[in-house]
Amino acid sequence: KQEVTQIPAALSVPEGENLVLNCSFTDSAIYNLQWFRQDPGKGLTSLLLIQSSQREQTSGRLNASLDKSSGRSTLYIAASQPGDSATYLCAVRSYGGATNKLIFGTGTLLAVQP
Amino acid sequence: DVKVTQSSRYLVKRTGEKVFLECVQDMDHENMFWYRQDPGLGLRLIYFSYDVKMKEKGDIPEGYSVSREKKERFSLILESASTNQTSMYLCASRMGQGLGEQYFGPGTRLTVT
């Protein structure tokens, strides 16, 4: 059974710092991995999608990498800003079983201090 | 841009009421999903639908039903609301067959008193 873990659960950094959020999964048989951002009381906003055949994806100051064999993904945020403060969730879509399902991690709560 | 909209941002209902949560997407996606999100439990899948009139149970379907009469609309129904169904409800959609992104609506915060 696929399990997704995100460490740390919470992170506080000063503005301008580069930071890395981690996501690990137990079963490497995945179709893709998606990173989301969630602001308090709001829905999820899709940030990046990495297919299993890809190593990384970039969007602006965000870069997500995927190492399927080790069951890990990282989300790199460059030059962090207070507006980046949110909860970041990763989710994987696995082979087999209900392939329509995304399995979510429990998230990393990021606070960027001005 | 994909748009997923939900009928209400906040809803307060009484125990025993029948509750309808509506979700509409404008990108002709085959797959639609309903989740609930609770502190410490993360996102849990209630039901999903991969086509009109087609549905499958997710991880926590008890106490809920769904309806998908049109491709763009997916409704979540609480037949008799209970206080333990107080939660944030999130709808999502994704293109079928392909391996595309899943898009979420803004959420409905439901309180059952």
Side-chain angles (χ1 to χ4, degrees), chain B residues 34-101:
Chain B
W34 275 107
Y35 294 85
R36 64 177 282 177
Q37 186 178 31
D38 301 286
L41 296 175
L43 276 103
R44 294 180 290 168
L45 181 64
I46 304 171
Y47 267 97
F48 68 94
S49 168
Y50 50 90
D51 204 346
V52 175
K53 296 193 188 296
M54 307 302 287
K55 61 187 178 186
E56 281 197 27
K57 293 179 181 179
D59 300 316
I60 51 162
E62 297 78 18
Y64 303 95
S65 62
V66 290
S67 170
R68 191 155 179 215
E69 298 296 319
K70 293 186 178 181
K71 193 174 186 181
E72 69 271 18
R73 189 180 297 269
F74 190 35
S75 302
L76 180 70
I77 303 154
L78 287 65
E79 295 288 343
S80 178
S82 64
T83 54
N84 63 14
Q85 292 178 310
T86 291
S87 186
M88 170 70 105
Y89 289 87
L90 293 163
C91 175
S93 74
R94 189 178 67 224
M95 191 177 296
Q97 299 304 320
L99 303 175
E101 289 177 80

Side-chain angles (χ1 to χ4, degrees), chain A residues 53-68:
Chain A
S53 58
Q54 297 174 319
R55 297 285 294 186
E56 64 179 74
Q57 282 284 345
T58 298
S59 175
R61 293 183 295 108
L62 305 180
N63 176 278
S65 69
L66 176 64
D67 184 342
K68 225 175 49 158

Side-chain angles (χ1 to χ4, degrees), chain A residues 42-56:
Chain A
K42 303 277 178 70
L44 278 67
T45 300
S46 178
L47 297 174
L48 289 163
L49 173 72
I50 312 180
Q51 303 295 351
S52 62
S53 58
Q54 297 174 319
R55 297 285 294 186
E56 64 179 74

Side-chain angles (χ1 to χ4, degrees), chain A residues 6-48:
Chain A
Q6 291 184 249
I7 294 172
L11 182 63
S12 180
V13 300
E15 182 177 2
E17 205 166 280
N18 302 326
L19 60 101
V20 173
L21 306 180
N22 297 295
C23 173
S24 60
F25 45 96
T26 54
D27 185 350
S28 62
I30 66 169
Y31 283 110
N32 55 40
L33 183 145
Q34 194 167 353
W35 281 94
F36 295 89
R37 167 192 173 130
Q38 186 175 30
D39 294 293
K42 303 277 178 70
L44 278 67
T45 300
S46 178
L47 297 174
L48 289 163

